Structure formats: structure tokens, C-alpha cells
Amino acid sequence: MMTKLCNVSFDSEFIYAEDESGRKLKQSILWYPALMNATEEQRLDYTVGFTGFHWRALDEDVSFESFEYDDAVPSKIQEFFLTHKEINVAEFSKRIGVNATLLRNYINGFKKPSAARENEILGAIHQLGAEYCSFGLADGYNIPTARTAYLSDDSAPAYGLSNDIGKSSR
């Protein structure tokens, strides 16, 4: 049984809590869109129950147990779909020839793709990005040089981006 946690805090990527011994645990805030989009005041307005934290105004619950999950930080595939809700999973799965339910299971962490399947999906994501970019170039649109703010430095290379994009080269 998971011990009771306390002292919830946040940064731009994680939600943190401490156990009774002072050990700090974390998990990605991407799993909790209501908390990710909440104000600091809303994030501080929670109660501690027997099994987790509850934000009544946000209708959000985070279990103590979830801080110990193996997938506390999303995989690259999960991160992509969690940050790009505009992508229709069913249509994307048709495009790449993967069963939509299976792809949703990968995204939700119920199943883990093999390394080959993961590379196939990430390759299709990169291809989609390249098609979006070429569409913009065909219309004379100038692609921004700054890296998108919601990608962490660790995840930028997974999407074919360099960590030094937009940085001055003095």
C-alpha cells in the first residue's frame, strides 16, 4: 500500500509530492490537463484524502499510487498525443496502418509498443510534421525558428528539432 503523500508543488513539467520520510516523488503534469492549465491559486486549492489529492474546483484527482507508476513520465509517443489533442488518433492510425484501439492503448499506457513499432509511429509523426512544413513553404509562409515552448529540451530531438534552434550564434 502506498504511503500518504503531502506537500504538493508544481513546475512547468511535473507535479511533485513528498512521502512521510521527506522523499520527493514526481510525475508528468501532461497526464492531468486540468492541473496543467490551472492557475497557481487553483493548484493550491486541494484536499488530501485517504488515497490521494482532490481539486474540487477542477474536478481532478491524483492518487498517491500514481506517483509510483512506471510511466510517471510519458513516452515520446504519449507526449506527442497528449500535447497535440488536435490530431485525430483514429485517422492517424488509419494513415499508418495501426489499429486505432491499439494506438490508443499505447498513448494511454495500457500497452507498450515494441522498439520497431515505436520507431514506425515516431517516423510517421515526423513525416506528418514534414508535410505540414512543406505545406507552409508552398504558400510562402515563413516557418518560425524558435522551438515550440511546450517541448522540453530532452524531447526536442525526438521530434527532429535541435535544442539550439532559435539561439543566437555569436
Side-chain angles (χ1 to χ4, degrees):
M1 180 177 173
M2 179 71 199
T3 60
K4 196 167 187 171
L5 300 178
C6 60
N7 298 330
V8 174
S9 62
F10 299 85
D11 66 20
S12 62
E13 296 183 59
F14 297 102
I15 176 173
Y16 300 89
E18 291 180 24
D19 68 11
E20 295 163 341
S21 68
R23 181 175 63 131
K24 201 163 197 172
L25 303 167
K26 70 179 182 179
Q27 61 178 306
S28 176
I29 199 163
L30 289 175
W31 297 120
Y32 308 100
L35 288 170
M36 187 170 60
N37 298 317
T39 66
E40 187 63 28
E41 183 178 302
Q42 290 172 315
R43 289 178 177 180
L44 292 173
D45 186 22
Y46 67 91
T47 57
V48 181
F50 291 111
T51 60
F53 304 102
H54 177 68
W55 285 263
R56 184 176 183 165
L58 300 173
D59 191 29
E60 187 73 79
D61 294 294
V62 178
S63 70
F64 298 144
E65 178 184 31
S66 65
F67 283 90
E68 295 282 359
Y69 289 167
D70 289 337
D71 64 348
V73 177
S75 70
K76 298 301 177 197
I77 293 170
Q78 291 169 323
E79 183 177 349
F80 176 79
F81 284 100
L82 288 169
T83 57
H84 293 282
K85 301 281 188 185
E86 72 277 10
I87 303 294
N88 182 305
V89 174
E91 291 302 318
F92 185 81
S93 68
K94 284 181 196 174
R95 174 189 175 109
I96 65 172
V98 173
N99 178 284
T101 301
L102 182 59
L103 183 57
R104 283 188 189 91
N105 282 331
Y106 294 155
I107 294 166
N108 293 320
F110 301 132
K111 292 193 176 210
K112 184 171 172 47
S114 68
R117 177 59 61 97
E118 184 174 23
N119 285 336
E120 176 187 342
I121 295 168
L122 290 173
I125 290 169
H126 291 206
Q127 178 62 37
L128 182 63
E131 289 174 20
Y132 284 167
C133 288
S134 67
F135 177 80
L137 292 173
D139 290 346
Y141 177 76
N142 291 325
I143 299 172
T145 57
R147 182 168 39 88
T148 307
Y150 54 77
L151 291 179
S152 66
D153 285 343
D154 293 337
S155 64
Y159 298 111
L161 299 173
S162 168
N163 289 339
D164 60 356
I165 292 176
K167 292 182 181 174
S168 175
S169 58
R170 294 181 194 182

Tab-separated table of all heavy atoms in Angstrom, residues 3 17 23 30 33 38 40 42 59 70 92 103 109 121 139 144 146-147 151 155 160 164 169:
chain	number	residue	atom	x	y	z
A	3	THR	N	2.145	4.855	0.842
A	3	THR	CA	2.044	5.729	1.998
A	3	THR	C	1.396	7.048	1.595
A	3	THR	O	1.397	7.427	0.427
A	3	THR	CB	3.436	6.008	2.608
A	3	THR	OG1	4.235	6.627	1.617
A	3	THR	CG2	4.081	4.731	3.097
A	17	ALA	N	5.156	15.575	-4.965
A	17	ALA	CA	4.595	15.347	-3.642
A	17	ALA	C	5.670	14.668	-2.799
A	17	ALA	O	6.590	14.048	-3.339
A	17	ALA	CB	3.342	14.490	-3.715
A	23	ARG	N	10.885	12.007	1.114
A	23	ARG	CA	11.279	11.676	-0.258
A	23	ARG	C	10.333	12.362	-1.229
A	23	ARG	O	9.126	12.300	-1.089
A	23	ARG	CB	11.227	10.160	-0.448
A	23	ARG	CG	11.635	9.697	-1.829
A	23	ARG	CD	11.667	8.179	-1.910
A	23	ARG	NE	10.344	7.631	-1.688
A	23	ARG	CZ	9.760	6.725	-2.466
A	23	ARG	NH1	10.399	6.239	-3.506
A	23	ARG	NH2	8.565	6.275	-2.187
A	30	LEU	N	1.441	16.392	-17.762
A	30	LEU	CA	0.702	16.130	-19.004
A	30	LEU	C	-0.443	15.150	-18.793
A	30	LEU	O	-1.419	15.163	-19.544
A	30	LEU	CB	1.639	15.590	-20.086
A	30	LEU	CG	2.636	16.564	-20.679
A	30	LEU	CD1	3.564	15.849	-21.646
A	30	LEU	CD2	1.932	17.711	-21.366
A	33	PRO	N	-4.576	17.391	-17.620
A	33	PRO	CA	-4.782	18.650	-18.344
A	33	PRO	C	-5.412	19.754	-17.492
A	33	PRO	O	-5.053	20.915	-17.637
A	33	PRO	CB	-5.708	18.263	-19.496
A	33	PRO	CG	-5.548	16.800	-19.657
A	33	PRO	CD	-5.181	16.255	-18.317
A	38	ALA	N	-4.352	25.000	-15.038
A	38	ALA	CA	-4.864	25.712	-13.871
A	38	ALA	C	-3.948	26.864	-13.463
A	38	ALA	O	-2.751	26.857	-13.740
A	38	ALA	CB	-5.015	24.749	-12.697
A	40	GLU	N	-2.095	29.145	-10.456
A	40	GLU	CA	-1.411	28.776	-9.216
A	40	GLU	C	-2.415	28.704	-8.062
A	40	GLU	O	-2.357	27.792	-7.230
A	40	GLU	CB	-0.303	29.787	-8.895
A	40	GLU	CG	0.564	29.385	-7.731
A	40	GLU	CD	1.352	28.093	-7.964
A	40	GLU	OE1	1.668	27.773	-9.118
A	40	GLU	OE2	1.641	27.403	-6.978
A	42	GLN	N	-5.626	27.967	-8.226
A	42	GLN	CA	-6.417	26.745	-8.377
A	42	GLN	C	-5.612	25.517	-7.974
A	42	GLN	O	-6.151	24.595	-7.349
A	42	GLN	CB	-6.892	26.589	-9.823
A	42	GLN	CG	-7.943	27.597	-10.231
A	42	GLN	CD	-8.237	27.530	-11.714
A	42	GLN	OE1	-7.315	27.463	-12.547
A	42	GLN	NE2	-9.523	27.555	-12.063
A	59	ASP	N	-12.294	19.397	-10.611
A	59	ASP	CA	-12.793	18.026	-10.752
A	59	ASP	C	-11.658	17.093	-11.177
A	59	ASP	O	-11.757	16.346	-12.141
A	59	ASP	CB	-13.961	17.954	-11.740
A	59	ASP	CG	-14.669	16.597	-11.687
A	59	ASP	OD1	-14.663	15.964	-10.615
A	59	ASP	OD2	-15.210	16.179	-12.728
A	70	ASP	N	5.325	3.174	-13.267
A	70	ASP	CA	6.493	3.129	-14.148
A	70	ASP	C	6.446	4.218	-15.216
A	70	ASP	O	7.472	4.679	-15.684
A	70	ASP	CB	6.591	1.767	-14.840
A	70	ASP	CG	6.979	0.665	-13.870
A	70	ASP	OD1	7.573	0.965	-12.817
A	70	ASP	OD2	6.684	-0.512	-14.183
A	92	PHE	N	-5.158	9.105	-37.742
A	92	PHE	CA	-3.712	8.894	-37.781
A	92	PHE	C	-3.403	7.400	-37.816
A	92	PHE	O	-2.521	6.956	-38.550
A	92	PHE	CB	-3.039	9.560	-36.569
A	92	PHE	CG	-1.543	9.480	-36.603
A	92	PHE	CD1	-0.804	10.372	-37.355
A	92	PHE	CD2	-0.871	8.497	-35.889
A	92	PHE	CE1	0.586	10.302	-37.395
A	92	PHE	CE2	0.515	8.417	-35.925
A	92	PHE	CZ	1.240	9.315	-36.681
A	103	LEU	N	-3.347	1.797	-30.879
A	103	LEU	CA	-2.639	3.077	-30.752
A	103	LEU	C	-3.100	3.825	-29.503
A	103	LEU	O	-2.273	4.378	-28.766
A	103	LEU	CB	-2.832	3.940	-32.005
A	103	LEU	CG	-2.083	5.270	-32.017
A	103	LEU	CD1	-0.582	5.081	-31.842
A	103	LEU	CD2	-2.377	6.044	-33.301
A	109	GLY	N	-0.932	4.179	-22.142
A	109	GLY	CA	-0.023	3.411	-21.301
A	109	GLY	C	-0.517	2.025	-20.932
A	109	GLY	O	0.079	1.361	-20.083
A	121	ILE	N	5.919	4.516	-35.535
A	121	ILE	CA	4.955	5.569	-35.175
A	121	ILE	C	5.646	6.925	-35.137
A	121	ILE	O	5.130	7.916	-35.676
A	121	ILE	CB	4.259	5.241	-33.841
A	121	ILE	CG1	3.405	3.974	-33.994
A	121	ILE	CG2	3.393	6.423	-33.371
A	121	ILE	CD1	2.893	3.399	-32.678
A	139	ASP	N	3.069	27.809	-49.598
A	139	ASP	CA	2.242	29.013	-49.553
A	139	ASP	C	3.052	30.262	-49.229
A	139	ASP	O	2.481	31.332	-49.035
A	139	ASP	CB	1.136	28.852	-48.505
A	139	ASP	CG	0.089	27.848	-48.925
A	139	ASP	OD1	0.061	27.477	-50.110
A	139	ASP	OD2	-0.704	27.433	-48.068
A	144	PRO	N	8.561	29.631	-38.177
A	144	PRO	CA	9.267	30.239	-37.038
A	144	PRO	C	10.535	29.454	-36.723
A	144	PRO	O	10.576	28.236	-36.862
A	144	PRO	CB	8.269	30.126	-35.890
A	144	PRO	CG	6.953	29.847	-36.514
A	144	PRO	CD	7.222	29.209	-37.835
A	146	ALA	N	12.109	29.674	-33.656
A	146	ALA	CA	12.163	29.338	-32.227
A	146	ALA	C	11.465	28.005	-31.982
A	146	ALA	O	10.438	27.710	-32.569
A	146	ALA	CB	11.505	30.435	-31.398
A	147	ARG	N	12.052	27.206	-31.096
A	147	ARG	CA	11.480	25.924	-30.723
A	147	ARG	C	10.186	26.164	-29.957
A	147	ARG	O	10.076	27.078	-29.167
A	147	ARG	CB	12.477	25.159	-29.846
A	147	ARG	CG	12.006	23.798	-29.455
A	147	ARG	CD	13.137	22.987	-28.839
A	147	ARG	NE	14.013	23.724	-27.991
A	147	ARG	CZ	13.803	23.893	-26.681
A	147	ARG	NH1	12.762	23.384	-26.111
A	147	ARG	NH2	14.664	24.575	-25.971
A	151	LEU	N	7.808	21.943	-25.690
A	151	LEU	CA	8.708	20.811	-25.828
A	151	LEU	C	9.888	21.000	-24.886
A	151	LEU	O	10.542	22.028	-24.893
A	151	LEU	CB	9.237	20.680	-27.259
A	151	LEU	CG	8.241	20.271	-28.320
A	151	LEU	CD1	8.932	20.218	-29.679
A	151	LEU	CD2	7.624	18.933	-28.006
A	155	SER	N	12.963	16.410	-25.142
A	155	SER	CA	12.053	15.862	-26.146
A	155	SER	C	12.229	16.493	-27.517
A	155	SER	O	11.804	15.929	-28.510
A	155	SER	CB	10.601	16.009	-25.694
A	155	SER	OG	10.256	17.364	-25.587
A	160	GLY	N	12.743	15.760	-34.086
A	160	GLY	CA	13.574	16.239	-35.182
A	160	GLY	C	14.027	17.678	-35.013
A	160	GLY	O	14.413	18.332	-35.970
A	164	ASP	N	19.273	23.870	-30.014
A	164	ASP	CA	19.840	25.195	-30.226
A	164	ASP	C	19.081	26.006	-31.267
A	164	ASP	O	19.517	27.073	-31.651
A	164	ASP	CB	21.325	25.108	-30.577
A	164	ASP	CG	21.577	24.316	-31.840
A	164	ASP	OD1	20.629	23.766	-32.417
A	164	ASP	OD2	22.749	24.231	-32.244
A	169	SER	N	23.929	32.711	-32.550
A	169	SER	CA	25.211	32.063	-32.854
A	169	SER	C	26.325	33.097	-32.895
A	169	SER	O	27.003	33.260	-33.873
A	169	SER	CB	25.103	31.305	-34.183
A	169	SER	OG	24.726	32.196	-35.215
